[in-house]
Amino acid sequence: DARVTQTPRHKVTEMGQEVTMRCQPILGHNTVFWYRQTMMQGLELLAYFRNRAPLDDSGMPKDRFSAEMPDATLATLKIQPSEPRDSAVYFCASGLWRGLMGTDTQYFGPGTRLTVL
Amino acid sequence: GQQVMQIPQYQHVQEGEDFTTYCNSSTTLSNIQWYKQRPGGHPVFLIQLVKSGEVKKQKRLTFQFGEAKKNSSLHITATQTTDVGTYFCAGRSGSARQLTFGSGTQLTVLP
């Protein structure tokens, strides 16, 4: 049963520390998304990649957030330095893009619950 | 940019009552998807609608796509406690390269 995996599942850190979250997309999927979910803002798209190339990171605070795909099996989201307002659940999702007329279902990972003190 | 609005934000129902959530887009959509997120869980894909006026059913869940392809609804008949969670719609307009998620409707079912 293929699924998206994310590590760590929980992270508690202090303000100013660097945080790195990792995601392993489903094998064969060519699109990876990073979302942030909070009670106030709901589900926000931070960035997404297709075939490892970043297509859109307009939802991401550029000064402290960075997202990369060093290879097809790993996506990372880094926050440096972290702030209390970054506390949220960060979801990675992957999908198989077959063009505008195809189904672009997104398969979400279990999320990383980040708390910045 | 594309906006997808969902109402209501919260809904409490007694077990056995029906429930409906509505999704409206500022632009015409090429498709719309529905996801369910259980408390403490992650969004899980339920269904995709593509055709104007399309209606699909999954057991007690009925999904509709509007004739103008700018709105959609999810209706649950005779809710059960297992239906608890947040239901998201997500749509993509023809020119957009990714889905835009609605704000979700959080459903509570009281036993």
Side-chain angles (χ1 to χ4, degrees), chain B residues 46-94:
Chain B
L46 293 176
I47 208 161
Q48 173 168 285
L49 304 171
V50 178
K51 299 176 183 176
S52 168
E54 188 171 13
V55 178
K56 287 189 177 180
K57 292 191 176 185
Q58 289 180 349
K59 298 182 180 178
R60 294 177 295 103
L61 277 61
T62 302
F63 303 85
Q64 285 190 299
F65 202 7
E67 294 290 340
K69 300 183 75 174
K70 296 182 74 173
N71 57 73
S72 180
S73 65
L74 158 59
H75 179 82
I76 303 178
T77 303
T79 54
Q80 300 175 358
T81 54
T82 53
D83 296 324
V84 164
T86 301
Y87 293 84
F88 292 95
C89 64
R92 181 167 59 80
S93 67

Side-chain angles (χ1 to χ4, degrees), chain B residues 5-79:
Chain B
M5 292 146 287
Q6 204 171 339
I7 56 170
Q9 189 174 358
Y10 303 97
Q11 184 78 62
H12 292 208
V13 299
Q14 290 290 141
E15 189 173 16
E17 291 182 340
D18 292 356
F19 159 77
T20 304
T21 174
Y22 300 91
C23 187
N24 292 288
S25 169
S26 57
T27 59
T28 301
L29 301 170
S30 57
N31 67 41
I32 192 152
Q33 299 181 5
W34 286 91
Y35 291 76
K36 177 183 177 181
Q37 183 177 18
R38 294 181 187 274
H42 57 276
V44 174
F45 174 80
L46 293 176
I47 208 161
Q48 173 168 285
L49 304 171
V50 178
K51 299 176 183 176
S52 168
E54 188 171 13
V55 178
K56 287 189 177 180
K57 292 191 176 185
Q58 289 180 349
K59 298 182 180 178
R60 294 177 295 103
L61 277 61
T62 302
F63 303 85
Q64 285 190 299
F65 202 7
E67 294 290 340
K69 300 183 75 174
K70 296 182 74 173
N71 57 73
S72 180
S73 65
L74 158 59
H75 179 82
I76 303 178
T77 303
T79 54

